[in-house]
Amino acid sequence: MIDLVKTLVVLAVLVVLLRRKVYLGTVMAVGSLLLAILYLTPPRAFLGGVYRALLAPRSLEMTGMLVFTMIMENVLRKTGTLKRMVASLAELLPDGRLIMAAMPAMIGLLPSPGGAVFSAPMVNEAAAGTTIGADQKAFINYWYRHIWEYVSPLYPGIILVSGLTGLPYASLSLANAPFAVSVVGWGVFFCFTGVGPVRIAREQTAGRWKAFGVFLLAVAPILVTLVLVVILRVSPVPAMGGVVVLLYLLHRYSPAKVWESLRESVSLKAVFLVLGIMVFQETLQVTGALDGVSRFFTSSGLPPILIIVAIPFLAGLMTGLTIAYVGITFPLLLPLMGGATPSLGLLALAFGSGFAGVMLSPLHLCLVLTREYFNADMARVYHRLWVPSALVLAAAVIPLWLFR
């Protein structure tokens, strides 16, 4: 019981600091120190854990992946590739409803906090001349932007789960795939209720085949990265690094321009954030908190499924960050999900529950930016979000059944 109280105190402090918008890397450092103090951990043991966390191969891999993801997004945005991607897509799709869904989905292939604002004007233009309200347009833009975070190894949530569990990205993506499919399917029903076919006037172009070629060229860097990492099982860091180098060569970046790109895209705050989470996870191991919590829950009589659903959901709701709920709650839940060999079904359930909380969080940056762009009523947007979010989470029964 005392282990549970200590870890809940640490979790409460983390949530309070995050709600006060303290930088997540700092929050994780505070949580690690507090955990070490509560368990009276010797300084040498604590510093040894910090050393291992910072230099562990999985920490270095996650840091490298995040850095190359940020660089790739910067290059694609600065070279106009993202704009060509969505412009060519508009030439290929016959119905404005498809464009409204496809634009945020395309931008959502890469994790970018400003991506919601980038796709919002596209949704607004596709909806021009219709009676679709601001809250519905905001919902469409927000909903379809978040298909890929369940399955793409370019997103930090999947990166962190893989790092914490040691499981390959392909297995995690497969377990989470029912959520992504559900987002698309339920979006068709809830996003476009009451909206008939939307015709969009287009200027004469060179044809759809040319537009398709432009689209393939624009999306090629993302597709190549996904094929290398997920299908060919190439290590993510060299795969992404190779694609970034190729982009620099294709766009004829000079050394000065490469340096400018690196300065603009690489965020030290994001790097420290990942390292802070890894230090927190290692501190949990050093203090033995995980073993104590596991012993308490196994003897408490509470259904493990309830715990696995509730804790990530609350953390996601309170933080609005995937990497936050994964980093804070997964180390605590791993003993309930199988320990060293966690169940893919339970991992998917915890991930889906936490992400449902993220989607409903008022701190979610994409939600805030989308609402502001469309000047939508937040209560109306929330009214549209609750039911489909719950239905997407219900898709967890599929991985629970497949990987039981």
Side-chain angles (χ1 to χ4, degrees), residues 84-151:
R84 290 194 296 274
M85 184 191 305
V86 294
S88 58
L89 189 62
E91 295 292 330
L92 297 170
L93 302 178
D95 193 323
R97 293 174 297 181
L98 295 176
I99 297 173
M100 281 183 262
M103 295 301 186
M106 288 297 103
I107 302 301
L109 282 169
L110 282 179
S112 172
V117 173
F118 187 86
S119 59
M122 313 296 180
V123 173
N124 202 38
E125 182 176 350
T130 71
T131 59
I132 301 176
D135 60 301
Q136 191 168 2
K137 287 185 286 188
F139 174 50
I140 293 169
N141 187 62
Y142 181 60
W143 184 258
Y144 277 104
R145 171 165 168 71
H146 293 93
I147 299 170
W148 310 109
E149 196 155 355
Y150 293 102
V151 295

Side-chain angles (χ1 to χ4, degrees), residues 144 196 248 344 399:
Y144 277 104
Y248 280 148
L344 278 172

Side-chain angles (χ1 to χ4, degrees), residues 189-204:
F189 181 79
F190 286 95
C191 287
F192 300 105
T193 299
V195 180
V198 178
R199 298 181 180 275
I200 297 179
R202 294 184 176 88
E203 298 179 358
Q204 291 295 325

